[in-house]
Amino acid sequence: MESKSANLGSSLPVPIVQELAKEKLTTVPPRYVRPDQYQQRILPTLKSSYSQIPVIDMQKFSDIYTVESELHALHNACQEWGFFQLINHGVDSTVVEKMKIEIQEFFNLPIDEKKKFRQEEGDLQGYGQAFIVSEEQKLDWGDMFAIVISPTYLRKPHLIPKLPTTFRRDAFHEDELLSSVSQPELVTGLSPHSDADGLTILLQVNEMKGLQIKKDGVWIPVSPLPNAFTINIGDILEIVTNGAYKSIEHRAIVNREKERLSIATFLKPNLDGDIGPSPSLVTAETPAKFKRIEVTEYLKGLFSRELAGKSYLDLMRI
Ligand SMILES: O=C(O)CCC(=O)C(=O)O
Ligand SMILES: [Fe+2]
């Protein structure tokens, strides 16, 4: 039986960054200045032409002449990179384009309209932020809109019926990473983290780049291909594969020119199950690297902490 406790977590209220950005501030408010990230900034960042995440072509899975080598490429991408771009995925481009327009329209709504979708106290869904657990904590320069689509009993009736239809078809979470601060190098759009879910499907909405992944100690910018989804392995898949597939640290940086929008769909296991290394992968030579934990416990622990690198996954290690 699925637990019917409606909330898995909450986040403290924070200012709306879209509104702060309109104030034409000359200096960044101290809570957004990230000396902890300066060091990260000066880590070498590779030019995008030098190294790019792998590309997986989904069409090749339906062709007997190409399926084997593409499966091999997929396995390799999950082991070595934890990130790849998926092309020819079969989702109609008109659906994707409509979704992009509607999310842009949502963030362009007047603030009073958007406030109707504001995250309520004690909940994570709606327009707000996540992972804010103390008043002292540093903040990301961005806003989020989050909804849960499945399981259906976690849906928020006050959020969903008012949304455009495309929104209602897909589960997603939305980040907005804004420019319009005079010192974008001082702030972070989205703190370095690994995704705690099973698998994430990312769609960059506008042309502004900003996503970077950390590989071998180097930040690599991701340049999304047209009509591609960026897919990444989350912590849960790293646990289930007993470490074979990697959940990679990534972040989003802020630029000076324009706001940036992306849509992330987080795929998680059923709430009534548990997570642990797959028994078929645990042998005398390859003992379990991670604990087994109930999904609800895992999620509650996740949302009661700051977003910080791979620290939550590290807690799951044996
Ligand atoms: O904005 C992006 O491209 C990345 C978003 C992300 O990493 C997340 O929401 O977990
Ligand atoms: Fe992420």
Side-chain angles (χ1 to χ4, degrees):
M1 275 292 288
E2 279 184 335
S3 144
K4 295 281 187 279
S5 64
N7 282 341
L8 292 167
S10 61
S11 184
L12 296 175
V14 290
I16 296 171
V17 172
Q18 268 194 305
E19 292 303 294
L20 287 178
K22 285 192 193 133
E23 288 175 21
K24 303 262 177 277
L25 305 164
T26 48
T27 53
V28 176
R31 245 187 127 183
Y32 297 88
V33 177
R34 303 293 295 268
D36 59 320
Q37 294 296 306
Y38 293 166
Q39 203 57 30
Q40 299 275 344
R41 281 252 169 205
I42 55 171
L43 268 182
T45 304
L46 289 185
K47 291 267 171 289
S48 43
S49 56
Y50 182 81
S51 187
Q52 261 301 320
I53 61 172
V55 175
I56 301 296
D57 184 345
M58 204 152 146
Q59 227 162 42
K60 292 190 177 165
F61 294 131
S62 11
D63 180 335
I64 52 161
Y65 296 106
T66 49
V67 61
E68 205 167 315
S69 67
E70 203 60 8
L71 278 175
H72 182 76
L74 175 63
H75 183 57
N76 198 52
C78 295
Q79 277 185 320
E80 302 298 324
W81 288 82
F83 259 86
F84 57 90
Q85 297 203 51
L86 189 68
I87 58 169
N88 296 324
H89 44 65
V91 181
D92 197 320
S93 61
T94 53
V95 173
V96 177
E97 289 312 309
K98 193 161 181 277
M99 179 108 182
K100 288 182 180 176
I101 291 167
E102 288 180 350
I103 195 70
Q104 191 93 53
E105 281 172 358
F106 173 80
F107 277 94
N108 288 345
L109 285 174
I111 186 63
D112 287 342
E113 284 300 307
K114 270 186 301 216
K115 276 191 176 155
K116 294 182 188 159
F117 298 92
R118 197 95 172 94
Q119 206 173 46
E120 286 173 0
E121 203 184 321
D123 196 6
L124 284 167
Q125 295 192 63
Y127 181 51
Q129 260 302 355
F131 302 109
I132 314 299
V133 294
S134 92
E135 298 294 345
E136 284 74 48
Q137 189 181 329
K138 290 285 183 182
L139 301 177
D140 286 343
W141 191 257
D143 301 320
M144 180 191 86
F145 178 78
I147 52 174
V148 174
I149 296 298
S150 175
T152 48
Y153 66 83
L154 285 181
R155 289 182 184 179
K156 294 289 159 173
H158 76 283
L159 291 177
I160 292 179
K162 286 191 237 152
L163 292 171
T165 46
T166 327
F167 275 37
R168 281 186 251 154
R169 271 204 296 271
D170 300 78
F172 70 91
H173 142 136
E174 168 69 17
D175 289 319
E176 180 156 21
L177 312 165
L178 294 169
S179 61
S180 326
V181 252
S182 50
Q183 300 158 298
E185 64 285 351
L186 297 187
V187 301
T188 298
L190 184 60
S191 298
H193 67 283
S194 62
D195 290 352
D197 61 342
L199 198 72
T200 306
I201 304 172
L202 267 175
L203 175 66
Q204 183 160 317
V205 174
N206 61 9
E207 70 283 9
M208 299 317 293
K209 290 185 197 145
L211 176 64
Q212 299 183 336
I213 71 163
K214 200 179 198 178
K215 183 159 171 48
D216 306 326
V218 174
W219 286 110
I220 299 180
V222 175
S223 303
L225 298 168
N227 304 319
F229 293 132
T230 301
I231 312 282
N232 66 285
I233 303 285
D235 295 348
I236 292 177
L237 260 189
E238 178 161 341
I239 293 172
V240 170
T241 61
N242 203 25
Y245 287 1
K246 299 290 181 306
S247 173
I248 296 293
E249 210 178 327
H250 53 284
R251 67 178 181 182
I253 59 166
V254 175
N255 68 82
R256 199 175 286 275
E257 292 117 59
K258 194 173 176 296
E259 67 187 36
R260 174 175 178 270
L261 280 158
S262 61
I263 300 174
T265 305
F266 297 107
L267 306 176
K268 295 192 171 78
N270 283 338
L271 293 180
D272 57 353
D274 54 14
I275 307 164
S278 167
S280 64
L281 298 174
V282 177
T283 64
E285 295 78 48
T286 55
K289 291 183 179 156
F290 299 97
K291 300 182 251 202
R292 186 159 286 279
I293 180 171
E294 286 180 6
V295 176
T296 45
E297 281 306 295
Y298 175 85
L299 294 178
K300 280 182 182 154
L302 170 73
F303 292 122
S304 61
R305 299 164 52 81
E306 274 184 56
L307 202 57
K310 292 191 71 167
S311 60
Y312 192 56
L313 182 63
D314 287 339
L315 278 185
M316 301 297 139
R317 288 185 206 280
I318 288 177

